[in-house]
Coordinates of all heavy atoms in Angstrom, one line a residue:
R209 N 12.2 3.7 0.5 CA 10.8 4.1 0.9 C 10.4 3.1 2.0 O 10.7 2.0 1.9 CB 9.9 4.0 -0.3 CG 8.6 4.8 -0.1 CD 7.7 4.7 -1.4 NE 8.2 5.3 -2.6 CZ 8.1 6.6 -2.8 NH1 7.6 7.4 -1.8 NH2 8.5 7.2 -3.9
L210 N 9.5 3.6 2.9 CA 9.0 2.6 3.9 C 7.5 2.4 3.7 O 6.8 3.3 3.3 CB 9.2 3.3 5.3 CG 10.6 3.8 5.7 CD1 10.5 4.4 7.1 CD2 11.5 2.6 5.7
S211 N 7.0 1.2 4.0 CA 5.7 1.0 3.9 C 5.0 1.3 5.3 O 5.6 2.1 6.0 CB 5.3 -0.5 3.6 OG 5.8 -1.4 4.6
S212 N 3.9 0.9 5.6 CA 3.0 1.4 6.6 C 3.7 1.4 8.0 O 4.2 0.3 8.4 CB 1.7 0.6 6.6 OG 0.9 1.1 7.6
L213 N 3.6 2.5 8.8 CA 4.2 2.6 10.1 C 3.0 2.8 11.1 O 2.0 3.4 10.9 CB 5.0 3.8 10.2 CG 6.2 3.9 9.3 CD1 6.9 5.2 9.3 CD2 7.2 2.8 9.6
Q214 N 3.2 2.2 12.4 CA 2.2 2.5 13.4 C 2.6 3.7 14.2 O 3.8 3.9 14.7 CB 2.3 1.3 14.4 CG 1.8 0.0 13.8 CD 0.3 0.0 13.6 OE1 -0.5 0.8 14.2 NE2 -0.1 -0.7 12.6
P215 N 1.7 4.7 14.4 CA 2.0 6.0 15.0 C 2.7 5.8 16.4 O 3.5 6.6 16.9 CB 0.7 6.7 15.1 CG -0.3 5.9 14.3 CD 0.3 4.7 14.0
D216 N 2.1 4.8 17.2 CA 2.5 4.7 18.6 C 4.0 4.0 18.7 O 4.5 3.9 19.8 CB 1.5 4.0 19.4 CG 1.2 2.5 18.9 OD1 0.8 2.5 17.7 OD2 1.5 1.6 19.6
Q217 N 4.4 3.4 17.6 CA 5.7 2.8 17.6 C 6.7 3.6 16.9 O 7.8 3.1 16.5 CB 5.6 1.4 17.0 CG 4.7 0.4 17.8 CD 4.7 -0.9 17.1 OE1 4.2 -1.1 16.0 NE2 5.3 -1.9 17.7
W218 N 6.4 4.9 16.8 CA 7.3 5.8 16.1 C 8.7 5.9 16.7 O 8.8 5.9 18.0 CB 6.7 7.1 16.0 CG 7.6 8.2 15.5 CD1 8.3 9.2 16.2 CD2 7.8 8.4 14.1 NE1 9.0 9.9 15.2 CE2 8.7 9.5 14.0 CE3 7.4 7.8 12.9 CZ2 9.2 9.9 12.8 CZ3 7.9 8.3 11.8 CH2 8.7 9.3 11.7
E219 N 9.8 5.9 16.0 CA 11.2 6.0 16.5 C 11.7 7.4 16.0 O 11.7 7.6 14.9 CB 12.0 4.9 15.9 CG 11.7 3.6 16.5 CD 12.7 2.6 15.9 OE1 13.7 2.9 15.3 OE2 12.4 1.4 15.9
D220 N 12.1 8.2 17.0 CA 12.6 9.5 16.6 C 13.8 9.4 15.7 O 14.1 10.4 15.0 CB 13.0 10.3 17.9 CG 11.8 11.1 18.3 OD1 10.8 11.1 17.6 OD2 11.8 11.6 19.4
G221 N 14.6 8.3 15.7 CA 15.7 8.2 14.8 C 15.2 8.3 13.2 O 16.0 8.7 12.4
L222 N 13.9 8.1 13.0 CA 13.4 8.3 11.6 C 13.4 9.7 11.3 O 13.5 10.0 10.1 CB 12.0 7.6 11.5 CG 11.9 6.1 11.6 CD1 10.5 5.6 11.7 CD2 12.6 5.5 10.4
L223 N 13.2 10.6 12.2 CA 13.3 12.1 11.9 C 14.6 12.4 11.3 O 14.8 13.3 10.4 CB 13.0 12.9 13.2 CG 11.6 12.9 13.7 CD1 11.6 13.7 15.0 CD2 10.6 13.4 12.7
E224 N 15.7 11.9 12.0 CA 17.1 12.1 11.5 C 17.2 11.7 10.0 O 17.8 12.4 9.2 CB 18.0 11.4 12.3 CG 18.6 12.1 13.5 CD 19.3 11.2 14.4 OE1 20.3 10.6 14.0 OE2 18.9 11.2 15.6
V225 N 16.8 10.4 9.8 CA 17.0 9.9 8.5 C 16.2 10.5 7.4 O 16.6 10.4 6.2 CB 16.9 8.4 8.6 CG1 15.5 7.9 8.4 CG2 17.8 7.6 7.6
L226 N 15.2 11.2 7.8 CA 14.3 11.9 6.9 C 15.0 12.9 5.9 O 14.6 13.2 4.8 CB 13.1 12.6 7.5 CG 11.8 11.9 7.6 CD1 10.8 12.7 8.3 CD2 11.3 11.3 6.2
S227 N 16.1 13.5 6.4 CA 16.8 14.5 5.7 C 17.9 13.8 4.8 O 18.5 14.6 4.0 CB 17.3 15.6 6.6 OG 18.0 15.0 7.6
H228 N 18.0 12.6 4.9 CA 19.1 11.9 4.0 C 18.6 11.9 2.6 O 17.4 11.7 2.3 CB 19.3 10.5 4.5 CG 20.5 9.9 3.9 ND1 20.6 9.5 2.5 CD2 21.8 9.7 4.4 CE1 21.8 9.0 2.3 NE2 22.6 9.1 3.4
P229 N 19.5 12.3 1.6 CA 19.0 12.4 0.2 C 18.5 11.1 -0.4 O 17.7 11.1 -1.3 CB 20.3 12.8 -0.6 CG 21.4 12.7 0.5 CD 20.9 12.7 1.8
K230 N 18.9 9.9 0.2 CA 18.4 8.7 -0.4 C 17.1 8.2 0.3 O 16.5 7.3 -0.2 CB 19.4 7.7 -0.1 CG 20.5 7.7 -1.2 CD 21.5 6.6 -1.0 CE 22.5 6.7 -2.2 NZ 23.8 6.2 -1.9
M231 N 16.6 8.9 1.3 CA 15.4 8.6 1.9 C 14.3 9.5 1.3 O 14.4 10.6 1.2 CB 15.5 8.9 3.4 CG 14.2 8.7 4.3 SD 14.0 6.9 4.4 CE 12.3 6.9 5.1
T232 N 13.2 8.8 0.9 CA 12.1 9.5 0.3 C 11.3 10.2 1.5 O 11.0 9.7 2.5 CB 11.1 8.5 -0.4 OG1 10.7 7.5 0.5 CG2 11.7 7.9 -1.6
P233 N 10.9 11.5 1.2 CA 10.1 12.3 2.2 C 8.7 11.9 2.2 O 7.8 12.7 1.8 CB 10.4 13.8 1.7 CG 10.7 13.6 0.2 CD 11.3 12.3 0.0
H234 N 8.5 10.7 2.4 CA 7.1 10.2 2.4 C 6.9 9.1 3.5 O 7.7 8.2 3.5 CB 6.8 9.4 1.0 CG 5.6 8.5 1.0 ND1 5.7 7.3 0.4 CD2 4.4 8.7 1.5 CE1 4.5 6.7 0.6 NE2 3.7 7.6 1.2
L235 N 5.9 9.3 4.3 CA 5.6 8.3 5.4 C 4.2 7.9 5.4 O 3.4 8.8 5.2 CB 6.0 9.0 6.8 CG 7.5 9.3 6.9 CD1 7.6 10.1 8.2 CD2 8.3 8.0 7.0
H236 N 4.0 6.7 5.5 CA 2.6 6.2 5.6 C 2.3 5.8 7.0 O 2.8 4.9 7.6 CB 2.4 5.0 4.7 CG 1.1 4.5 4.6 ND1 0.2 4.9 3.7 CD2 0.3 3.6 5.4 CE1 -1.0 4.3 3.8 NE2 -1.0 3.5 4.9
L237 N 1.5 6.7 7.7 CA 1.2 6.4 9.1 C -0.3 5.9 9.3 O -1.2 6.6 8.9 CB 1.3 7.8 9.9 CG 2.7 8.4 10.0 CD1 2.5 9.9 10.6 CD2 3.7 7.6 10.7
S238 N -0.4 4.7 9.8 CA -1.7 4.1 9.8 C -2.6 4.8 10.8 O -2.3 4.7 12.0 CB -1.5 2.6 10.1 OG -2.7 2.0 10.3
L239 N -3.7 5.5 10.4 CA -4.5 6.2 11.2 C -5.8 5.4 11.6 O -6.1 5.3 12.8 CB -4.9 7.5 10.7 CG -6.0 8.4 11.4 CD1 -5.5 8.8 12.8 CD2 -6.4 9.6 10.6
Q240 N -6.6 5.0 10.6 CA -7.8 4.2 10.9 C -9.0 5.0 11.3 O -10.1 4.9 10.7 CB -7.7 3.0 11.8 CG -6.5 2.1 11.5 CD -6.4 1.6 10.0 OE1 -7.3 1.8 9.3 NE2 -5.3 1.0 9.7
S241 N -8.8 5.9 12.2 CA -10.0 6.9 12.6 C -9.5 8.1 13.2 O -8.4 8.1 13.9 CB -11.0 6.1 13.5 OG -11.9 7.1 14.0
G242 N -10.2 9.3 13.1 CA -9.8 10.5 13.6 C -10.6 10.8 14.9 O -10.8 11.9 15.4
S243 N -11.2 9.7 15.5 CA -12.0 9.9 16.7 C -11.5 9.0 17.8 O -11.2 7.8 17.6 CB -13.4 9.4 16.4 OG -14.1 9.0 17.5
D244 N -11.2 9.6 19.0 CA -10.6 8.9 20.1 C -11.6 7.7 20.5 O -11.1 6.6 20.8 CB -10.5 9.7 21.3 CG -9.2 10.5 21.2 OD1 -8.3 10.2 20.4 OD2 -9.0 11.5 21.9
T245 N -12.8 7.9 20.5 CA -13.7 6.8 21.0 C -13.7 5.6 20.0 O -13.7 4.5 20.4 CB -15.2 7.3 21.2 OG1 -15.4 8.3 20.2 CG2 -15.3 8.0 22.6
V246 N -13.6 5.9 18.7 CA -13.6 4.9 17.7 C -12.2 4.2 17.8 O -12.1 2.9 17.8 CB -13.8 5.4 16.3 CG1 -13.5 4.3 15.2 CG2 -15.1 5.9 16.1
L247 N -11.1 4.9 18.0 CA -9.8 4.3 18.1 C -9.7 3.4 19.3 O -9.2 2.3 19.3 CB -8.7 5.4 18.3 CG -8.4 6.2 17.1 CD1 -7.3 7.3 17.5 CD2 -7.8 5.4 16.0
E248 N -10.4 3.8 20.4 CA -10.6 3.0 21.6 C -11.2 1.7 21.3 O -10.7 0.5 21.6 CB -11.3 3.7 22.6 CG -10.8 3.4 24.0 CD -11.4 4.3 25.1 OE1 -11.1 5.6 24.9 OE2 -12.3 4.0 25.8
R249 N -12.4 1.8 20.5 CA -13.1 0.6 20.2 C -12.3 -0.4 19.2 O -12.5 -1.5 19.2 CB -14.5 0.8 19.6 CG -15.4 1.6 20.5 CD -16.8 1.5 20.2 NE -17.2 2.1 18.9 CZ -17.5 3.4 18.7 NH1 -17.3 4.2 19.8 NH2 -17.8 3.9 17.6
M250 N -11.5 0.3 18.4 CA -10.6 -0.4 17.5 C -9.4 -1.1 18.1 O -8.7 -1.9 17.6 CB -10.1 0.5 16.4 CG -11.1 1.0 15.4 SD -10.3 2.1 14.3 CE -11.5 2.1 12.9
R251 N -9.3 -0.8 19.4 CA -8.1 -1.2 20.2 C -6.8 -0.6 19.6 O -5.8 -1.4 19.5 CB -8.1 -2.6 20.5 CG -8.7 -3.0 21.7 CD -8.6 -4.5 22.1 NE -9.9 -5.1 22.2 CZ -10.2 -6.3 21.7 NH1 -9.3 -7.0 21.1 NH2 -11.4 -6.8 21.8
R252 N -6.8 0.5 19.1 CA -5.5 1.1 18.6 C -4.9 1.8 19.8 O -5.6 2.2 20.7 CB -5.9 2.2 17.5 CG -6.7 1.7 16.3 CD -5.8 0.8 15.4 NE -4.9 1.4 14.7 CZ -3.9 0.9 13.9 NH1 -3.8 -0.4 13.8 NH2 -3.0 1.6 13.3
R253 N -3.6 1.9 19.7 CA -2.8 2.3 20.9 C -2.3 3.7 21.0 O -1.3 4.0 21.5 CB -1.6 1.3 21.1 CG -2.1 -0.1 21.2 CD -1.0 -1.0 21.3 NE -1.4 -2.4 21.2 CZ -0.6 -3.5 21.5 NH1 0.5 -3.3 21.8 NH2 -1.1 -4.7 21.3
Y254 N -3.0 4.5 20.2 CA -2.7 6.0 20.2 C -3.9 6.8 20.3 O -5.0 6.2 19.9 CB -1.8 6.3 19.0 CG -2.5 5.9 17.7 CD1 -3.4 6.6 17.1 CD2 -2.2 4.6 17.3 CE1 -4.0 6.2 15.9 CE2 -2.9 4.1 16.1 CZ -3.8 4.9 15.5 OH -4.5 4.4 14.4
R255 N -3.9 8.0 20.5 CA -5.1 8.9 20.4 C -4.8 10.0 19.4 O -3.7 10.2 18.9 CB -5.4 9.5 21.8 CG -5.8 8.4 22.8 CD -7.1 7.6 22.4 NE -7.4 6.5 23.2 CZ -7.3 5.3 22.8 NH1 -6.8 5.0 21.6 NH2 -7.7 4.2 23.5
V256 N -5.9 10.6 19.0 CA -5.9 11.6 18.0 C -4.8 12.7 18.2 O -4.0 13.0 17.3 CB -7.3 12.3 17.7 CG1 -7.2 13.3 16.7 CG2 -8.2 11.2 17.3
E257 N -4.7 13.2 19.4 CA -3.8 14.2 19.7 C -2.3 13.7 19.5 O -1.5 14.5 19.1 CB -4.0 14.7 21.1 CG -3.2 16.0 21.5 CD -3.3 17.1 20.5 OE1 -4.4 17.2 19.8 OE2 -2.3 17.9 20.3
D258 N -2.1 12.4 19.9 CA -0.7 11.9 19.6 C -0.4 11.9 18.1 O 0.7 12.2 17.8 CB -0.6 10.4 20.1 CG -1.1 10.2 21.5 OD1 -0.9 11.1 22.3 OD2 -1.6 9.1 21.8
F259 N -1.3 11.5 17.4 CA -1.2 11.5 15.9 C -0.9 12.8 15.3 O 0.0 13.0 14.5 CB -2.4 10.8 15.3 CG -2.2 10.5 13.9 CD1 -1.8 9.2 13.5 CD2 -2.4 11.4 12.8 CE1 -1.6 8.9 12.1 CE2 -2.2 11.0 11.5 CZ -1.9 9.8 11.1
R260 N -1.7 13.8 15.8 CA -1.6 15.1 15.3 C -0.2 15.7 15.6 O 0.4 16.4 14.9 CB -2.7 16.0 16.1 CG -3.1 17.2 15.4 CD -3.8 18.0 16.4 NE -5.1 17.6 16.7 CZ -6.2 18.2 16.1 NH1 -6.1 19.2 15.3 NH2 -7.4 17.8 16.5
Q261 N 0.2 15.5 16.9 CA 1.6 16.0 17.3 C 2.6 15.4 16.5 O 3.6 16.0 16.2 CB 1.7 15.8 18.8 CG 1.0 16.8 19.6 CD 1.2 16.6 21.1 OE1 2.1 15.9 21.6 NE2 0.2 17.1 22.0
L262 N 2.5 14.0 16.3 CA 3.6 13.3 15.5 C 3.7 13.9 14.1 O 4.8 14.2 13.7 CB 3.2 11.9 15.4 CG 4.1 10.9 14.6 CD1 5.6 11.0 15.1 CD2 3.7 9.5 14.6
C263 N 2.6 14.1 13.5 CA 2.6 14.8 12.1 C 3.2 16.1 12.2 O 4.0 16.5 11.3 CB 1.1 14.9 11.5 SG 0.4 13.2 11.3
A264 N 2.9 16.9 13.2 CA 3.5 18.3 13.3 C 5.0 18.1 13.5 O 5.8 18.9 12.9 CB 2.9 19.0 14.5

Side-chain angles (χ1 to χ4, degrees):
R209 198 180 291 285
L210 305 180
S211 64
S212 185
L213 301 172
Q214 292 294 335
D216 59 299
Q217 291 180 296
W218 174 260
E219 291 178 16
D220 273 349
L222 290 171
L223 289 178
E224 268 166 58
V225 87
L226 264 181
S227 49
H228 194 285
K230 280 183 177 153
M231 178 69 190
T232 51
H234 163 224
L235 294 169
H236 186 91
L237 297 173
S238 175
L239 171 64
Q240 310 305 352
S241 169
S243 153
D244 277 344
T245 36
V246 174
L247 287 176
E248 211 167 295
R249 297 203 293 281
M250 287 178 162
R251 264 186 243 141
R252 302 289 290 175
R253 303 180 187 188
Y254 51 87
R255 293 296 170 256
V256 174
E257 191 47 34
D258 306 329
F259 191 91
R260 204 198 281 261
Q261 282 179 16
L262 175 60
C263 295

